[in-house]
Amino acid sequence: RGRLIMPINKNKKLIYYVGRALYDATKKYETPATPKEKVLYGFDRLFEHTDAPLIIVEGFFDAFSVDGVATLGNVITPYQAQWLNRSRREKIYIPDTAGDGKRPAEQALAFGWNISTPDIGSNCKDMNDAVVKYGKMYVMKSIIENKATGFEAETQLRNYCNS
């Protein structure tokens, strides 16, 4: 009651869910007792036959907004990294600008992935906020235009995350 239930599938089978409060609640998200270390939202996107990069983000709504994959937290677990690396698609991790977005972005760089610091302004904390404010086409273009790796990515990351 009072929650939106978001199913998470793997090979078209329900493996997890997230319940988000629709109204003010002491606990914003509810999840099953099952650990989420082995869960990715958008798992089936890993092996799509496309030349488009695989966009990786923290949250369900962010991944849904940009047709990406979500780690459902601010840490990329070894299990998640293993599955993500099995995808032949170029990987682009996009950190949240608020909170602890820098930590998983640094993990992504260590895995050899690109990161992107899209031009979404200081008042958007994540991709979902950006898509709502600017539209999906602008956000997707900005993700591609602002992807980087190595020293350039580290420099962009310092200026992007407000943690």
Side-chain angles (χ1 to χ4, degrees):
R1 293 184 176 187
R3 290 193 180 274
L4 175 64
I5 305 298
M6 298 159 294
I8 298 174
N9 300 308
K10 179 179 178 186
N11 299 325
K12 301 185 181 180
K13 293 184 181 175
L14 181 68
I15 60 165
Y16 197 76
Y17 66 88
V18 177
R20 187 189 192 292
L22 295 173
Y23 312 103
D24 290 334
T26 55
K27 192 167 184 184
K28 187 175 179 180
Y29 290 98
E30 284 283 338
T31 58
T34 309
K36 66 179 179 183
E37 292 87 33
K38 296 183 177 184
V39 177
L40 287 169
Y41 167 75
F43 177 87
D44 295 339
R45 291 188 177 121
L46 296 179
F47 305 107
E48 288 178 339
H49 296 288
T50 179
D51 291 333
L54 182 64
I55 297 172
I56 306 160
V57 293
E58 283 184 31
F60 171 90
F61 288 108
D62 303 322
F64 184 81
S65 296
V66 295
D67 300 323
V69 175
T71 60
L72 304 175
N74 60 3
V75 172
I76 303 168
T77 68
Y79 186 88
Q80 291 170 332
Q82 182 181 45
W83 273 108
L84 290 162
N85 280 325
R86 287 183 184 177
S87 176
R88 293 179 181 216
R89 297 171 66 184
E90 172 190 19
K91 285 114 188 116
I92 302 175
Y93 185 84
I94 306 166
D96 284 357
T97 61
D100 199 12
K102 190 174 181 181
R103 179 173 43 169
E106 289 171 340
Q107 285 183 286
L109 288 173
F111 298 139
W113 306 343
N114 292 301
I115 65 162
S116 180
T117 55
D119 181 19
I120 59 171
S122 60
N123 54 350
C124 292
K125 66 179 178 61
D126 56 29
M127 291 300 94
N128 185 55
D129 282 354
V131 168
V132 168
K133 183 171 183 177
Y134 299 112
K136 185 174 180 177
M137 192 180 319
Y138 172 81
V139 171
M140 298 302 285
K141 181 177 183 285
S142 187
I143 289 169
I144 298 304
E145 289 177 348
N146 291 287
K147 73 177 181 173
T149 192
F151 179 75
E152 181 184 1
E154 291 172 13
T155 302
Q156 288 179 2
L157 191 56
R158 269 193 297 275
N159 298 323
Y160 188 75
C161 294
N162 301 324
S163 54

